[in-house]
Amino acid sequence: VQPTPMDDEILTVDEVATLLQLHPQSVYEKVERNELPGWFRLGDAVKSPISFSKRVIMEWIQKEASRP
C-alpha cells in the first residue's frame, strides 16, 4: 500500500474504472493482481473501501500509453 500526499486528489474505484474504460469489478481484480499502482484503503479493515491517488494513476496511464 502506497501513502498518498495530503494534497493529492483521491479517486474511487468507479472513477478509476471510468478513466480506464473498465468495469469496476475489473479494477478490483487488477488491484488483487497488483496490476494497478497508487491504491490504498481508507481505514484499517480489510473491508475498507479502496481509493486511488489520482496523481499516481494519471502518471501510470501516461506511461502505459507510451509503451510500444
Side-chain angles (χ1 to χ4, degrees):
V1 178
Q2 302 170 351
T4 302
M6 293 301 287
D7 61 344
D8 193 8
E9 247 184 276
I10 296 173
L11 299 177
T12 65
V13 168
D14 288 340
E15 290 169 327
V16 171
T18 299
L19 278 173
L20 300 178
Q21 299 179 347
L22 296 172
H23 189 278
Q25 184 59 38
S26 296
V27 173
Y28 284 111
E29 291 167 3
K30 286 184 172 293
V31 166
E32 287 178 17
R33 294 190 303 261
N34 289 319
E35 294 176 356
L36 287 177
W39 68 272
F40 57 96
R41 291 190 188 276
L42 293 172
D44 294 334
V46 174
K47 299 270 184 182
S48 295
I50 292 174
S51 299
F52 291 85
S53 159
K54 182 177 183 178
R55 180 185 52 79
V56 173
I57 285 293
M58 297 307 289
E59 288 171 359
W60 179 81
I61 289 171
Q62 289 178 338
K63 182 178 145 191
E64 290 298 304
S66 67
R67 291 176 90 179

